Amino acid sequence: MKQFLTFVKKEFHHIFRDHRTMLILIGMPIVEIILFGFAITTEVKDSKVAILDTSHDVATRHIIDEINANKYFNVVEYIHNSNDIQRVFQKGEASMVVVFEDHFYETLLHTGKAQIQVIADATDPNTATTITYYVNRIISDYQQTLMGQNKAPYQITPNIKLLFNPEMKGAYNFVPGVLGMILMLICAMMTSIAIVREKETGTMEILLVSPIKPIMIILAKMVPYFVISCFNLATVLLLSVYVLGVPVAGSLTGLILISLLFIIVSLSLGLLVSTLTHTQLAAMLVSGMVFLLPVILLSGMIFPIENMPMWMQRLSDIIPAKWYIEAVKALMIEGLGIMNILKEIGILSLMTLVFTAISLKKFNVRLD
Amino acid sequence: MENLQHSEIITQPEKVIEVNKLVKRFGHFTAVDHISFDVEKGEIFGFLGANGAGKTTAMRMLCGLSKPTEGKGKVAGFDIEHQSEQVKKSIGYMSQKFSLYNDLKVWENIRLFAGIYGMNDKDIKEKTALLLEQLHFEKERNVLVKSLPLGMKQKLAFSVAIFHTPEVVFLDEPTGGVDPATRRQFWELIYEAAAKGITVFVTTHYMDEAEYCNRVSIMVDGRIEALDSPHNLKTEFEAHNMDEVFQQLARKATRKAD
């Protein structure tokens, strides 16, 4: 036991004396949460709108005011010529142009019909869909007020309720993903690099010649990363609750439990990588390409899994982070209890067993 | 153990390493081919051979890092095949790669390895102070190993390898890349260790170093082709120095260096 503690201390020294790594380990989660929470967001806010209005009448002014007052839009420019539309888009001055036909209000009064053209930059299709939808809403609202007392004889009012994330905050979707990514990165990548580094420098040979048991060497390597991961888990959760305002709606115990399990899965994955590679560079590439990229792309963190082709959905099943992120969403956002994530707990436990079994078999005690 | 190490009453030379027809095969390739030899307590035994002759494989078997395919071997009285854990406790090891942690301080390295070999804190403390004094490293006690010059590092690595007073210390090309003056100092440390009764098993590429050994074995293509004191070998091969002896034997090799 004393041997083991001496060893754990040595591992902490390795980490703490490498200031750059230390900075990455502690700083990365904070930076990522802030980035994903504030900078990288799919929410539409303050979209720049340009207006081409030759009528300047009551109706157009009313609609323009409504658009400007909306939190999603910001009217930045009034253009006077249809030739300018092209220029506005090319220079990126606006992502949407609203064009009113000539003599808008008059036409509307006399013929009962008037036209508005909404042109949106669809480079990002999601944003384009969202902003045109919002403009549509503003226009139909105006139509309702115009009708005033003579309402349409039949009226169906949809009553929309947005569950779990009523304010439609992007952070609700990102926090579980970032959590999965950080834990995977620190546990799997850093552990594998730490073990392979000893192989590379030749100290692993010295350790294997010594009476210390190989399993002790491995466990001692994992302890510091386990501790740092727990610390990061705490930081990420605190930041998301108090800075991003994402609540832990469900069971906190369950959330901590599944996170610890996921940390262990990632550690065993890191161990597996270390038995398969011989250089730090290879370990880093394998962790980066084989683990990190799929975690970002296939775990449902950014792209919904349901929209993927069937074979890709099956592929995502073997990614531990997918199950973890699902469980975290259930606990944090949907507010469910431990009983609802039993399936995820089972799958992650099974994965730990498989990874550990393979790596222990592969970990060559005799270095041959 | 304690008694054995300090007993000088025994007149019969005590065998610390006994190797009998040891074989290691990798598939169809026989890396080590029926080698037999004994090494006595306190002896400095040179283990020579060209690259690919099988030295490292043989040494790994003796250290318990690799299981022999055939044959028997004993190190410090323990069977290398079935008692590798006890073998590991009674040996020290220093490899051609640098074998200390660069990002640990001098005393932390000593502390770590002494701890691994099960020494207690009091002994470690006393012996560390003594060692640092002998090496004139008192000022470097709290220095990170990476900032030491190479010669100092090698000396420290050797001292750490014998810190727990093992029966045998295995040195795998310990002086690679070190300047002649430091090599000389390094060999003084080896002589001191041998005088204390620690058997030294050393592989080397430098033929002048072979002259410092009590006995030398030369491996060619997995077999031991010559084994005697440097003096006797030079007489037998009618050579002026060990280099000539080595050249005559190495010429017979059919295996390519790896």
Side-chain angles (χ1 to χ4, degrees), chain B residues 210-211 213-214 216 228-237 239 242 245:
Chain B
E211 311 262 1
C213 299
N214 298 127
V216 167
D228 214 327
S229 68
H231 178 78
N232 291 350
L233 283 176
K234 279 185 276 187
T235 325
E236 188 189 330
F237 287 87
M242 282 305 292
V245 176

Side-chain angles (χ1 to χ4, degrees), chain B residues 88-92 114 117 119 127 159-166:
Chain B
K88 284 180 179 179
K89 277 181 197 155
S90 2
I91 62 171
Y117 283 93
M119 289 177 70
K127 231 180 146 182
S159 307
V160 167
I162 59 163
F163 194 77
H164 58 291
T165 37

